[in-house]
């Protein structure tokens, strides 16, 4: 968030009119004093102009980071960690439910690198249209059964069912506010993608289409889960917390993260011993294992890093 805040401080002001600039100056002052980005943006009701500019600038910064990551994924001489994880999950199930609050497409790129199909709720190419049923059909095989009567046999192609309740860098509103939502792999001029930006964006957009559909699917996946693997999540998202809290003490979970937040500790305490967290040891090296009853250093290996966890724990 610090890098994103610095980008916003250097870019937002020049795109605003006088009213928006005045409001942004008050927010910028809080950021310069060390206040967190999310907190600074929720202390005031943003004007439509400021919200629009913020969303666009957030997208620009995330796109820059995504481009670097995409190059690494494409040029790597071995499958990246996320690719290996998705393949590993699909060895034991036909559908792996994945939820991300990130806007980038690293999951989609990692899946493509491993020839893993993804149900994003969008169907078609080069522009995808929002249709949950058609997107699901793209992950099915249809085989005609020989005989006097025409019959078809349907089977599921192993795939990832991806939910992005905060939006994605490739979602765009077409036409006016009532136009259909489309998916585009290339940026659409100066138009901001459909993402729930930090601050009051969660209240503005969180219950509108397509965010509501994605959130509902994510919540249903949590409700049905028999286990949870949680990567780098701070447990500070109200949209998902209600359903996560209901599963704390019912299903086992493993958390991989560099630093455990206070909310993550509360999750562990409420899990009745069902959950463990692997985080960085003192000085950022080694692994600290934390449960509801305490913590201890368990390894000189960085098991909290996905690559090491896959290799040393899952043999993937």
């Amino acid at each position: 968030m610090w890098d994103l805040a610095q980008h916003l401080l250097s870019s937002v002001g020049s795109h605003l009119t006088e009213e928006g600039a005045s409001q942004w100056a008050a927010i910028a002052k809080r950021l310069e004093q060390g206040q967190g980005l999310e907190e600074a943006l929720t202390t005031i009701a943003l004007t439509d102009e400021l919200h629009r500019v913020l969303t666009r600038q957030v997208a620009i910064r995330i796109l820059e980071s995504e481009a670097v990551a995409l190059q690494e994924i494409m040029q790597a001489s071995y499958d990246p960690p996320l690719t290996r994880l998705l393949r590993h999950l699909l060895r034991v199930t036909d559908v792996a439910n994945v939820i991300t609050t990130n806007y980038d497409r690293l999951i989609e790129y990692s899946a493509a690198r491993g020839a893993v199909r993804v149900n994003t709720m969008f169907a078609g190419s080069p522009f995808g249209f929002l249709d949950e049923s058609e997107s699901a059909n793209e992950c099915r095989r249809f085989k005609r059964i020989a005989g006097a009567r025409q019959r078809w046999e349907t089977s599921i192609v192993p795939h990832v069912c991806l939910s992005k309740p905060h939006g994605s860098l490739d979602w765009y509103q077409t036409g006016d506010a009532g136009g259909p939502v489309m998916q585009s792999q290339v940026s659409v001029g100066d138009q901001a993608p459909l993402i729930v930006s930090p601050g009051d964006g969660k209240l503005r957009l969180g219950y509108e289409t397509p965010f509501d559909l994605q959130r509902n699917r994510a919540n249903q996946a949590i409700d049905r889960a028999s286990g949870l693997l949680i990567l780098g999540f701070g447990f500070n998202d109200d949209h998902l917390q209600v359903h996560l809290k209901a599963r704390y003490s019912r299903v086992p979970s493993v958390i991989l993260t560099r630093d455990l937040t206070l909310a993550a500790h509360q999750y562990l305490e409420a899990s009745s011993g069902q959950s463990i967290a692997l985080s960085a040891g003192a000085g950022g090296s080694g692994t600290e294992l934390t449960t509801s009853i305490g913590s201890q250093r368990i390894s000189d290996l960085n098991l909290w890093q996905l690559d090491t966890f896959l290799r040393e724990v899952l043999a993937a």
Side-chain angles (χ1 to χ4, degrees):
M1 277 290 193
W2 186 87
D3 286 343
L4 180 56
Q6 296 308 302
H7 170 77
L8 296 178
L9 283 170
S10 65
S11 62
V12 169
S14 61
H15 297 277
L16 297 170
T17 61
E18 184 175 348
E19 179 186 4
S22 175
Q23 188 180 56
W24 173 245
I27 296 171
K29 183 176 181 180
R30 295 188 182 97
L31 293 174
E32 290 165 349
Q33 292 173 343
Q35 193 173 68
L37 180 60
E38 188 83 31
E39 183 182 0
L41 291 175
T42 52
T43 55
I44 188 170
L46 304 181
T47 64
D48 289 342
E49 178 198 34
L50 180 53
H51 181 264
R52 184 172 60 254
V53 171
L54 278 171
T55 300
R56 178 60 182 158
Q57 290 303 316
V58 167
I60 288 173
R61 181 66 185 93
I62 302 299
L63 277 166
E64 292 172 354
S65 300
E66 184 193 69
V68 174
L70 174 58
Q71 185 174 10
E72 293 176 354
I73 291 171
M74 295 296 291
Q75 295 181 349
S77 57
Y78 54 89
D79 285 337
L82 270 177
T83 301
R84 288 153 51 203
L85 173 62
L86 298 177
R87 279 179 167 171
H88 183 80
L89 293 173
L90 292 174
R91 290 175 185 171
V92 295
T93 183
D94 287 335
V95 182
N97 283 289
V98 177
I99 304 165
T100 180
T101 55
N102 294 342
Y103 316 129
D104 61 56
R105 293 157 290 184
L106 299 188
I107 293 172
E108 295 94 312
Y109 294 152
S110 297
R113 169 68 192 254
V116 173
R117 293 198 189 188
V118 182
N119 175 350
T120 62
M121 213 179 279
F122 287 84
S125 180
F127 297 105
F129 56 95
L130 181 64
D131 190 313
E132 186 172 6
S133 178
E134 282 300 313
S135 182
N137 282 338
E138 291 184 348
C139 296
R140 294 189 180 103
R141 291 190 183 96
F142 297 89
K143 180 181 178 181
R144 184 173 178 177
I145 306 301
R149 296 176 58 188
Q150 181 171 307
R151 293 185 299 121
W152 293 87
E153 182 181 83
T154 304
S155 61
I156 295 176
V157 178
H159 66 277
V160 169
C161 188
L162 179 63
S163 300
K164 304 181 80 170
H166 287 181
S168 184
L169 292 174
D170 54 4
W171 299 354
Y172 290 92
Q173 184 81 57
T174 61
D176 55 25
V181 176
M182 303 292 286
Q183 184 183 55
S184 172
Q185 296 301 320
V186 295
S187 298
V188 183
D190 292 332
Q191 184 176 346
L194 290 174
I195 59 175
V196 177
S197 58
D200 71 349
K202 294 178 182 178
L203 298 177
R204 285 172 177 252
L205 299 174
Y207 294 92
E208 297 180 4
T209 301
F211 306 105
D212 57 344
L213 299 175
Q214 296 278 333
R215 188 188 67 256
N216 289 339
R217 182 160 79 171
N219 289 338
Q220 289 170 10
I222 293 170
D223 293 343
R224 295 193 302 263
S226 58
L228 300 168
L229 175 61
I230 302 167
L231 308 178
F233 184 59
F235 297 89
N236 295 313
D237 187 274
D238 292 339
H239 282 170
L240 299 175
Q241 287 300 90
V242 172
H243 290 258
L244 278 172
K245 286 179 179 178
R247 306 298 284 167
Y248 282 3
S249 60
R250 298 183 182 182
V251 300
S253 59
V254 176
I255 303 167
L256 304 184
T257 184
R258 179 182 175 86
D259 301 302
L260 277 180
T261 63
L262 175 60
H265 277 286
Q266 293 170 344
Y267 174 97
L268 291 168
E269 291 169 2
S271 68
S272 302
Q274 290 267 62
S275 303
I276 67 168
L278 301 176
S279 58
S285 64
T287 300
E288 193 87 3
L289 183 148
T290 305
T291 68
S292 59
I293 61 174
S295 64
Q296 61 177 326
R297 185 182 179 92
I298 62 167
S299 176
D300 291 331
L301 296 171
N302 293 335
L303 297 176
W304 51 274
Q305 294 181 337
L306 182 58
D307 183 48
T308 307
F309 180 81
L310 289 168
R311 184 176 63 250
E312 299 293 334
V313 179
L314 299 182

mmCIF file of all heavy atoms in Angstrom, residues 45-74:
data_model
loop_
_atom_site.group_PDB
_atom_site.id
_atom_site.type_symbol
_atom_site.label_atom_id
_atom_site.label_comp_id
_atom_site.label_asym_id
_atom_site.label_seq_id
_atom_site.Cartn_x
_atom_site.Cartn_y
_atom_site.Cartn_z
ATOM 1 N N ALA A 45 -16.107 11.563 2.472
ATOM 2 C CA ALA A 45 -16.892 11.078 1.342
ATOM 3 C C ALA A 45 -16.328 11.687 0.055
ATOM 4 O O ALA A 45 -16.373 12.905 -0.141
ATOM 5 C CB ALA A 45 -18.360 11.469 1.515
ATOM 6 N N LEU A 46 -15.778 10.861 -0.798
ATOM 7 C CA LEU A 46 -15.097 11.349 -1.993
ATOM 8 C C LEU A 46 -16.094 11.876 -3.019
ATOM 9 O O LEU A 46 -17.178 11.314 -3.208
ATOM 10 C CB LEU A 46 -14.277 10.227 -2.627
ATOM 11 C CG LEU A 46 -13.248 9.527 -1.736
ATOM 12 C CD1 LEU A 46 -12.515 8.451 -2.529
ATOM 13 C CD2 LEU A 46 -12.263 10.522 -1.145
ATOM 14 N N THR A 47 -15.720 12.960 -3.701
ATOM 15 C CA THR A 47 -16.528 13.438 -4.816
ATOM 16 C C THR A 47 -16.433 12.422 -5.952
ATOM 17 O O THR A 47 -15.506 11.615 -6.016
ATOM 18 C CB THR A 47 -16.022 14.799 -5.321
ATOM 19 O OG1 THR A 47 -14.694 14.637 -5.849
ATOM 20 C CG2 THR A 47 -16.005 15.823 -4.200
ATOM 21 N N ASP A 48 -17.408 12.463 -6.853
ATOM 22 C CA ASP A 48 -17.390 11.546 -7.998
ATOM 23 C C ASP A 48 -16.121 11.727 -8.821
ATOM 24 O O ASP A 48 -15.521 10.754 -9.302
ATOM 25 C CB ASP A 48 -18.615 11.770 -8.890
ATOM 26 C CG ASP A 48 -19.904 11.296 -8.227
ATOM 27 O OD1 ASP A 48 -19.819 10.511 -7.260
ATOM 28 O OD2 ASP A 48 -20.987 11.718 -8.671
ATOM 29 N N GLU A 49 -15.700 12.972 -8.984
ATOM 30 C CA GLU A 49 -14.493 13.245 -9.768
ATOM 31 C C GLU A 49 -13.267 12.624 -9.118
ATOM 32 O O GLU A 49 -12.477 11.947 -9.785
ATOM 33 C CB GLU A 49 -14.284 14.754 -9.909
ATOM 34 C CG GLU A 49 -13.011 15.097 -10.687
ATOM 35 C CD GLU A 49 -12.556 16.529 -10.477
ATOM 36 O OE1 GLU A 49 -12.740 17.058 -9.356
ATOM 37 O OE2 GLU A 49 -11.996 17.111 -11.423
ATOM 38 N N LEU A 50 -13.108 12.852 -7.816
ATOM 39 C CA LEU A 50 -11.936 12.319 -7.127
ATOM 40 C C LEU A 50 -11.950 10.793 -7.125
ATOM 41 O O LEU A 50 -10.916 10.151 -7.325
ATOM 42 C CB LEU A 50 -11.878 12.853 -5.694
ATOM 43 C CG LEU A 50 -10.678 12.372 -4.851
ATOM 44 C CD1 LEU A 50 -9.366 12.623 -5.571
ATOM 45 C CD2 LEU A 50 -10.682 13.061 -3.483
ATOM 46 N N HIS A 51 -13.124 10.220 -6.933
ATOM 47 C CA HIS A 51 -13.225 8.761 -6.962
ATOM 48 C C HIS A 51 -12.814 8.225 -8.323
ATOM 49 O O HIS A 51 -12.088 7.227 -8.427
ATOM 50 C CB HIS A 51 -14.648 8.326 -6.625
ATOM 51 C CG HIS A 51 -14.830 6.841 -6.607
ATOM 52 N ND1 HIS A 51 -15.309 6.139 -7.687
ATOM 53 C CD2 HIS A 51 -14.564 5.908 -5.652
ATOM 54 C CE1 HIS A 51 -15.348 4.853 -7.413
ATOM 55 N NE2 HIS A 51 -14.907 4.695 -6.190
ATOM 56 N N ARG A 52 -13.245 8.863 -9.392
ATOM 57 C CA ARG A 52 -12.920 8.427 -10.756
ATOM 58 C C ARG A 52 -11.418 8.532 -11.021
ATOM 59 O O ARG A 52 -10.810 7.599 -11.575
ATOM 60 C CB ARG A 52 -13.708 9.269 -11.752
ATOM 61 C CG ARG A 52 -13.530 8.850 -13.200
ATOM 62 C CD ARG A 52 -14.503 9.605 -14.108
ATOM 63 N NE ARG A 52 -14.315 11.052 -14.056
ATOM 64 C CZ ARG A 52 -15.141 11.888 -13.442
ATOM 65 N NH1 ARG A 52 -16.213 11.432 -12.812
ATOM 66 N NH2 ARG A 52 -14.908 13.189 -13.448
ATOM 67 N N VAL A 53 -10.814 9.643 -10.625
ATOM 68 C CA VAL A 53 -9.376 9.830 -10.847
ATOM 69 C C VAL A 53 -8.571 8.841 -10.014
ATOM 70 O O VAL A 53 -7.592 8.250 -10.494
ATOM 71 C CB VAL A 53 -8.973 11.289 -10.516
ATOM 72 C CG1 VAL A 53 -7.451 11.439 -10.535
ATOM 73 C CG2 VAL A 53 -9.611 12.245 -11.506
ATOM 74 N N LEU A 54 -8.970 8.645 -8.768
ATOM 75 C CA LEU A 54 -8.274 7.684 -7.913
ATOM 76 C C LEU A 54 -8.322 6.279 -8.511
ATOM 77 O O LEU A 54 -7.300 5.571 -8.557
ATOM 78 C CB LEU A 54 -8.900 7.665 -6.514
ATOM 79 C CG LEU A 54 -8.456 8.743 -5.536
ATOM 80 C CD1 LEU A 54 -9.337 8.717 -4.287
ATOM 81 C CD2 LEU A 54 -6.996 8.550 -5.143
ATOM 82 N N THR A 55 -9.490 5.879 -8.972
ATOM 83 C CA THR A 55 -9.635 4.551 -9.556
ATOM 84 C C THR A 55 -8.718 4.384 -10.758
ATOM 85 O O THR A 55 -8.041 3.354 -10.905
ATOM 86 C CB THR A 55 -11.097 4.304 -9.981
ATOM 87 O OG1 THR A 55 -11.944 4.406 -8.830
ATOM 88 C CG2 THR A 55 -11.259 2.919 -10.587
ATOM 89 N N ARG A 56 -8.672 5.396 -11.612
ATOM 90 C CA ARG A 56 -7.810 5.333 -12.801
ATOM 91 C C ARG A 56 -6.345 5.254 -12.416
ATOM 92 O O ARG A 56 -5.578 4.452 -12.980
ATOM 93 C CB ARG A 56 -8.071 6.564 -13.678
ATOM 94 C CG ARG A 56 -7.190 6.648 -14.925
ATOM 95 C CD ARG A 56 -7.365 5.469 -15.826
ATOM 96 N NE ARG A 56 -6.493 5.545 -16.986
ATOM 97 C CZ ARG A 56 -6.125 4.492 -17.704
ATOM 98 N NH1 ARG A 56 -6.549 3.279 -17.378
ATOM 99 N NH2 ARG A 56 -5.350 4.644 -18.751
ATOM 100 N N GLN A 57 -5.917 6.057 -11.450
ATOM 101 C CA GLN A 57 -4.506 6.064 -11.062
ATOM 102 C C GLN A 57 -4.112 4.789 -10.319
ATOM 103 O O GLN A 57 -2.999 4.301 -10.465
ATOM 104 C CB GLN A 57 -4.208 7.301 -10.211
ATOM 105 C CG GLN A 57 -4.258 8.607 -10.985
ATOM 106 C CD GLN A 57 -3.303 8.617 -12.172
ATOM 107 O OE1 GLN A 57 -2.153 8.183 -12.062
ATOM 108 N NE2 GLN A 57 -3.768 9.110 -13.306
ATOM 109 N N VAL A 58 -5.022 4.247 -9.529
ATOM 110 C CA VAL A 58 -4.758 2.954 -8.889
ATOM 111 C C VAL A 58 -4.529 1.892 -9.960
ATOM 112 O O VAL A 58 -3.594 1.089 -9.893
ATOM 113 C CB VAL A 58 -5.927 2.546 -7.964
ATOM 114 C CG1 VAL A 58 -5.811 1.076 -7.558
ATOM 115 C CG2 VAL A 58 -5.934 3.418 -6.716
ATOM 116 N N ALA A 59 -5.386 1.888 -10.976
ATOM 117 C CA ALA A 59 -5.262 0.909 -12.058
ATOM 118 C C ALA A 59 -3.942 1.060 -12.799
ATOM 119 O O ALA A 59 -3.279 0.061 -13.124
ATOM 120 C CB ALA A 59 -6.438 1.057 -13.027
ATOM 121 N N ILE A 60 -3.531 2.289 -13.068
ATOM 122 C CA ILE A 60 -2.264 2.531 -13.767
ATOM 123 C C ILE A 60 -1.098 1.946 -12.986
ATOM 124 O O ILE A 60 -0.219 1.274 -13.542
ATOM 125 C CB ILE A 60 -2.070 4.041 -14.002
ATOM 126 C CG1 ILE A 60 -3.031 4.541 -15.079
ATOM 127 C CG2 ILE A 60 -0.631 4.352 -14.392
ATOM 128 C CD1 ILE A 60 -3.042 6.048 -15.258
ATOM 129 N N ARG A 61 -1.099 2.180 -11.672
ATOM 130 C CA ARG A 61 0.026 1.683 -10.845
ATOM 131 C C ARG A 61 0.032 0.160 -10.778
ATOM 132 O O ARG A 61 1.088 -0.473 -10.888
ATOM 133 C CB ARG A 61 -0.073 2.261 -9.427
ATOM 134 C CG ARG A 61 1.060 1.815 -8.515
ATOM 135 C CD ARG A 61 2.382 2.373 -9.007
ATOM 136 N NE ARG A 61 3.512 1.875 -8.244
ATOM 137 C CZ ARG A 61 4.226 0.802 -8.571
ATOM 138 N NH1 ARG A 61 3.885 0.098 -9.660
ATOM 139 N NH2 ARG A 61 5.235 0.427 -7.838
ATOM 140 N N ILE A 62 -1.134 -0.454 -10.621
ATOM 141 C CA ILE A 62 -1.200 -1.912 -10.552
ATOM 142 C C ILE A 62 -0.828 -2.525 -11.896
ATOM 143 O O ILE A 62 -0.157 -3.568 -11.954
ATOM 144 C CB ILE A 62 -2.600 -2.382 -10.119
ATOM 145 C CG1 ILE A 62 -2.977 -1.773 -8.763
ATOM 146 C CG2 ILE A 62 -2.656 -3.906 -10.032
ATOM 147 C CD1 ILE A 62 -2.055 -2.140 -7.632
ATOM 148 N N LEU A 63 -1.219 -1.893 -12.994
ATOM 149 C CA LEU A 63 -0.856 -2.379 -14.323
ATOM 150 C C LEU A 63 0.651 -2.394 -14.515
ATOM 151 O O LEU A 63 1.196 -3.314 -15.140
ATOM 152 C CB LEU A 63 -1.516 -1.515 -15.400
ATOM 153 C CG LEU A 63 -2.962 -1.854 -15.763
ATOM 154 C CD1 LEU A 63 -3.582 -0.724 -16.575
ATOM 155 C CD2 LEU A 63 -3.020 -3.159 -16.540
ATOM 156 N N GLU A 64 1.331 -1.386 -13.994
ATOM 157 C CA GLU A 64 2.795 -1.340 -14.105
ATOM 158 C C GLU A 64 3.429 -2.528 -13.390
ATOM 159 O O GLU A 64 4.319 -3.190 -13.932
ATOM 160 C CB GLU A 64 3.318 -0.026 -13.516
ATOM 161 C CG GLU A 64 2.948 1.211 -14.325
ATOM 162 C CD GLU A 64 3.322 2.501 -13.606
ATOM 163 O OE1 GLU A 64 3.758 2.420 -12.426
ATOM 164 O OE2 GLU A 64 3.186 3.579 -14.215
ATOM 165 N N SER A 65 2.965 -2.808 -12.176
ATOM 166 C CA SER A 65 3.506 -3.939 -11.418
ATOM 167 C C SER A 65 3.136 -5.263 -12.083
ATOM 168 O O SER A 65 3.942 -6.204 -12.122
ATOM 169 C CB SER A 65 2.965 -3.911 -9.982
ATOM 170 O OG SER A 65 3.335 -2.728 -9.316
ATOM 171 N N GLU A 66 1.921 -5.328 -12.614
ATOM 172 C CA GLU A 66 1.460 -6.550 -13.263
ATOM 173 C C GLU A 66 2.307 -6.866 -14.491
ATOM 174 O O GLU A 66 2.626 -8.035 -14.762
ATOM 175 C CB GLU A 66 0.000 -6.402 -13.656
ATOM 176 C CG GLU A 66 -0.602 -7.664 -14.266
ATOM 177 C CD GLU A 66 -1.933 -7.421 -14.929
ATOM 178 O OE1 GLU A 66 -1.963 -6.733 -15.980
ATOM 179 O OE2 GLU A 66 -2.949 -7.900 -14.403
ATOM 180 N N ALA A 67 2.684 -5.842 -15.247
ATOM 181 C CA ALA A 67 3.477 -6.058 -16.457
ATOM 182 C C ALA A 67 4.825 -6.692 -16.128
ATOM 183 O O ALA A 67 5.307 -7.576 -16.851
ATOM 184 C CB ALA A 67 3.674 -4.730 -17.188
ATOM 185 N N VAL A 68 5.430 -6.254 -15.038
ATOM 186 C CA VAL A 68 6.707 -6.830 -14.611
ATOM 187 C C VAL A 68 6.527 -8.293 -14.226
ATOM 188 O O VAL A 68 7.311 -9.166 -14.614
ATOM 189 C CB VAL A 68 7.292 -6.030 -13.422
ATOM 190 C CG1 VAL A 68 8.549 -6.715 -12.881
ATOM 191 C CG2 VAL A 68 7.603 -4.603 -13.845
ATOM 192 N N ALA A 69 5.459 -8.574 -13.464
ATOM 193 C CA ALA A 69 5.190 -9.951 -13.030
ATOM 194 C C ALA A 69 4.872 -10.847 -14.221
ATOM 195 O O ALA A 69 5.297 -12.011 -14.270
ATOM 196 C CB ALA A 69 4.044 -9.964 -12.028
ATOM 197 N N LEU A 70 4.118 -10.327 -15.196
ATOM 198 C CA LEU A 70 3.773 -11.111 -16.374
ATOM 199 C C LEU A 70 5.024 -11.502 -17.151
ATOM 200 O O LEU A 70 5.155 -12.638 -17.622
ATOM 201 C CB LEU A 70 2.821 -10.326 -17.271
ATOM 202 C CG LEU A 70 2.479 -10.977 -18.623
ATOM 203 C CD1 LEU A 70 1.858 -12.350 -18.419
ATOM 204 C CD2 LEU A 70 1.560 -10.076 -19.432
ATOM 205 N N GLN A 71 5.954 -10.569 -17.280
ATOM 206 C CA GLN A 71 7.199 -10.877 -17.980
ATOM 207 C C GLN A 71 7.955 -11.999 -17.277
ATOM 208 O O GLN A 71 8.502 -12.904 -17.925
ATOM 209 C CB GLN A 71 8.068 -9.625 -18.064
ATOM 210 C CG GLN A 71 9.335 -9.820 -18.896
ATOM 211 C CD GLN A 71 10.099 -8.531 -19.084
ATOM 212 O OE1 GLN A 71 9.801 -7.517 -18.460
ATOM 213 N NE2 GLN A 71 11.100 -8.553 -19.940
ATOM 214 N N GLU A 72 7.974 -11.964 -15.947
ATOM 215 C CA GLU A 72 8.646 -13.014 -15.187
ATOM 216 C C GLU A 72 7.959 -14.362 -15.393
ATOM 217 O O GLU A 72 8.623 -15.397 -15.534
ATOM 218 C CB GLU A 72 8.667 -12.648 -13.699
ATOM 219 C CG GLU A 72 9.527 -11.441 -13.379
ATOM 220 C CD GLU A 72 9.447 -11.047 -11.916
ATOM 221 O OE1 GLU A 72 8.626 -11.657 -11.185
ATOM 222 O OE2 GLU A 72 10.177 -10.128 -11.509
ATOM 223 N N ILE A 73 6.618 -14.366 -15.406
ATOM 224 C CA ILE A 73 5.865 -15.602 -15.615
ATOM 225 C C ILE A 73 6.163 -16.194 -16.990
ATOM 226 O O ILE A 73 6.387 -17.395 -17.146
ATOM 227 C CB ILE A 73 4.351 -15.353 -15.452
ATOM 228 C CG1 ILE A 73 4.012 -15.052 -13.990
ATOM 229 C CG2 ILE A 73 3.534 -16.553 -15.941
ATOM 230 C CD1 ILE A 73 2.592 -14.580 -13.771
ATOM 231 N N MET A 74 6.187 -15.337 -18.008
ATOM 232 C CA MET A 74 6.377 -15.809 -19.377
ATOM 233 C C MET A 74 7.804 -16.261 -19.638
ATOM 234 O O MET A 74 8.036 -17.198 -20.412
ATOM 235 C CB MET A 74 5.998 -14.700 -20.360
ATOM 236 C CG MET A 74 4.528 -14.322 -20.332
ATOM 237 S SD MET A 74 3.460 -15.682 -20.842
ATOM 238 C CE MET A 74 3.888 -15.792 -22.575
#
